Amino acid sequence: MARADLLKKLFSSYTNNDRELFLKIAQEIIADERKKKHTLLADELERMLSNTRRGRTHTCSTLRPILPNADKEAKLIEIMYPSKYFDDVILDPDKTQLLEDVIRQFQNWDILVSNGVSPVSRLLFYGPPGCGKALCANVLAAEIGIPLMYVRFDALVSSYLGETASNIRRVFEMAANDSFLILFDEFDAIGRSRSDTSEHGEIKRVVNTFLQQIDCFKGHSIIVAATNFEQSLDYAIWRRFDDTVRFNLPTDDEKRKIFSMRFRQFNGPLHAFDDLLPSTSEFSHADVDSICKTIMRKCILEGKHIYTKRDVERAVEKQKRIVSLRKSQY
C-alpha cells in the first residue's frame, strides 16, 4: 500500500481541486511503489495518470460488478489491498523462495508466455489452521502490488440446486480482465472428493465446474486455494495446481522469532517465553500471535512499555486453555 502521508496529501489535493499538486503526489506514489519493486502496479498507475493528463478518465468495466452493493455478484467477493510484506511474517526459507519465484514470474509474465512457458499462477496451500496460509496469500498480493480478491464462501455456496456452480463461474468471469490474487479460502467447501459416498450429487457438479473454470481461465492473475482438510479434496484438484505447499505448526525457533518480532516496540524478558516453549508444542503461528496480542493489550491499557515474566505466563496459560478447548471440538 502507498504510504499514509502520501495518501493524505493526495486526498487533500483532490478535495481542494489542486490538479498540479494531485499529479505531483501521484508521481511520488508511483515512485514509492517502484522503490518497493511493485513494477506492475507502478506501470498501471502511470498509464492511468497519463490518461488523466490527456483529459481521459480511466475506466474498467470489469470492476463494475464488484462495487459495493452494485448487484448480486458483489456479495460473492471482497476486494482487499493487503499491507503485510515479507518483513511482517516469519517464513521458512523454502516458502520464502517459492513466493519470491512466483513474484518474479508474475513480473515477467509476458516474457515467459512469449517463449511458450506459462508462469506459476495456481497454488494450493494446505495444513493445520492458523499456520499462515491466508497470510501468505496476502503477502504475495502485497509484494506483487495487486489487489486480493477474497472469495466469500458464505455467499458462494448455495442451497439451491446448481447455483453454487453458477456462482463459481461468475467469480472467474469477474476476474478475467484484471490482475488479482484470487483467494479461495476454506477450499474444501467446493473441492470435496466426488467419490465421497456421504456427499450428494450436487458436489460433483460443483467440482466439475471448478475444474472446467480453472482449466479455461486465461486471466493475468494468481489463484490460491487454501484448506485445512486436504485429505477431503478430490484427486483431480491436486493436478490442477502448479505447486502445492504444506504449512506446518511452527518450530520452537519460529515461535521465538514471532514473539520477538511482535515486541519490537516493547521491552521485557524475551527469555520468559523461551522457558515456556515445551508447553506450546501444539501452538500454531496464530496461537503465538494471540499470546503477543494478549500481552500488548495489557501493557497498552496499563500505560506501560515493559511486560513482565508473569504477563507472559498468564498469556500462555490463557492460550493453552483455548487450544485445549479447540481440540475437544474436533
Side-chain angles (χ1 to χ4, degrees):
M1 289 291 287
R3 285 176 9 218
D5 60 325
L6 293 179
L7 289 175
K8 288 177 183 177
K9 290 180 182 177
L10 188 72
F11 275 70
S12 176
S13 65
Y14 177 82
T15 303
N16 296 324
N17 199 27
D18 189 337
R19 178 180 172 81
E20 290 305 314
L21 181 60
F22 181 89
L23 293 174
K24 178 184 176 183
I25 302 303
Q27 285 288 5
E28 288 186 38
I29 290 175
I30 292 170
D32 190 50
E33 294 302 324
R34 288 202 187 282
K35 193 182 299 181
K36 297 174 185 173
K37 300 191 186 313
H38 297 164
T39 308
L40 286 171
L41 176 60
D43 288 345
E44 178 65 13
L45 290 174
E46 206 151 54
R47 282 193 295 271
M48 293 166 67
L49 192 61
S50 177
N51 287 338
T52 300
R53 282 171 168 162
R54 295 188 185 103
R56 299 198 301 269
T57 57
H58 180 80
T59 60
C60 185
S61 60
T62 58
L63 289 181
R64 283 200 292 269
I66 61 179
L67 292 173
N69 302 317
D71 51 26
K72 185 176 180 180
E73 279 81 355
K75 300 176 183 178
L76 295 176
I77 60 173
E78 184 176 351
I79 301 300
M80 304 176 180
Y81 295 86
S83 56
K84 294 289 186 182
Y85 298 92
F86 281 132
D87 290 343
D88 301 309
V89 296
I90 301 299
L91 295 173
D92 63 62
D94 288 341
K95 289 187 183 64
T96 301
Q97 184 64 57
L98 169 69
L99 295 183
E100 288 177 344
D101 286 346
V102 172
I103 292 168
R104 184 184 179 194
Q105 291 181 43
F106 190 91
Q107 293 172 337
N108 292 278
W109 187 295
D110 292 339
I111 295 174
L112 289 171
V113 171
S114 65
N115 283 276
V117 181
S118 299
V120 170
S121 59
R122 303 170 184 175
L123 302 169
L124 176 62
F125 293 168
Y126 65 97
C131 289
K133 296 183 290 294
L135 179 58
C136 272
N138 277 260
V139 168
L140 189 56
E143 289 287 347
I144 293 174
I146 55 176
L148 185 146
M149 178 186 284
Y150 183 84
V151 181
R152 297 182 53 186
F153 277 101
D154 57 334
L156 186 73
V157 178
S158 172
S159 59
Y160 294 104
L161 186 66
E163 187 159 351
T164 299
S166 178
N167 287 341
I168 291 172
R169 283 193 292 272
R170 280 200 286 270
V171 167
F172 279 96
E173 287 169 0
M174 285 187 282
N177 297 314
D178 283 279
S179 292
F180 298 100
L181 188 144
I182 310 164
L183 176 59
F184 289 89
D185 203 3
E186 309 297 340
F187 180 62
D188 46 280
I190 63 169
R192 198 171 295 276
S193 175
R194 289 168 290 181
S195 62
D196 189 341
T197 56
S198 66
E199 293 290 348
H200 51 75
E202 174 69 358
I203 193 63
K204 295 183 179 180
R205 180 185 292 106
V206 169
V207 173
N208 286 337
T209 298
F210 181 83
L211 293 174
Q212 291 168 357
Q213 291 300 312
I214 198 171
D215 283 344
C216 296
F217 185 68
K218 304 300 181 185
H220 190 177
S221 295
I222 294 176
I223 300 170
V224 175
T227 179
N228 303 330
F229 301 100
E230 67 277 7
Q231 66 277 6
S232 70
L233 296 181
D234 191 90
Y235 73 96
I237 291 288
W238 291 86
R239 61 187 181 85
R240 287 324 199 274
F241 290 90
D242 302 317
D243 213 334
T244 59
V245 186
R246 169 80 184 181
F247 285 74
N248 296 307
L249 292 174
T251 63
D252 284 351
D253 185 53
E254 288 172 337
K255 293 173 191 173
R256 288 191 195 95
K257 289 179 179 178
I258 295 171
F259 190 86
S260 177
M261 181 176 68
R262 293 292 182 263
F263 284 100
R264 289 170 179 165
Q265 298 177 353
F266 291 82
N267 294 316
L270 289 173
H271 64 83
F273 183 66
D274 288 357
D275 297 339
L276 297 169
L277 280 173
S279 65
T280 66
S281 60
E282 297 180 327
F283 282 21
S284 67
H285 297 73
D287 290 323
V288 178
D289 196 54
S290 292
I291 291 170
C292 298
K293 288 178 179 177
T294 297
I295 298 170
M296 286 189 288
R297 288 189 192 104
K298 185 175 185 297
C299 288
I300 292 169
L301 292 176
E302 294 179 357
K304 62 182 185 181
H305 292 279
I306 300 176
Y307 62 89
T308 66
K309 180 179 179 181
R310 185 62 182 145
D311 291 334
V312 178
E313 291 172 344
R314 287 176 175 171
V316 170
E317 284 301 316
K318 175 186 175 183
Q319 199 61 33
K320 282 171 64 178
R321 291 193 296 272
I322 293 173
V323 172
S324 178
L325 178 62
R326 189 169 66 213
K327 281 184 62 180
S328 69
Q329 301 303 312
Y330 282 100

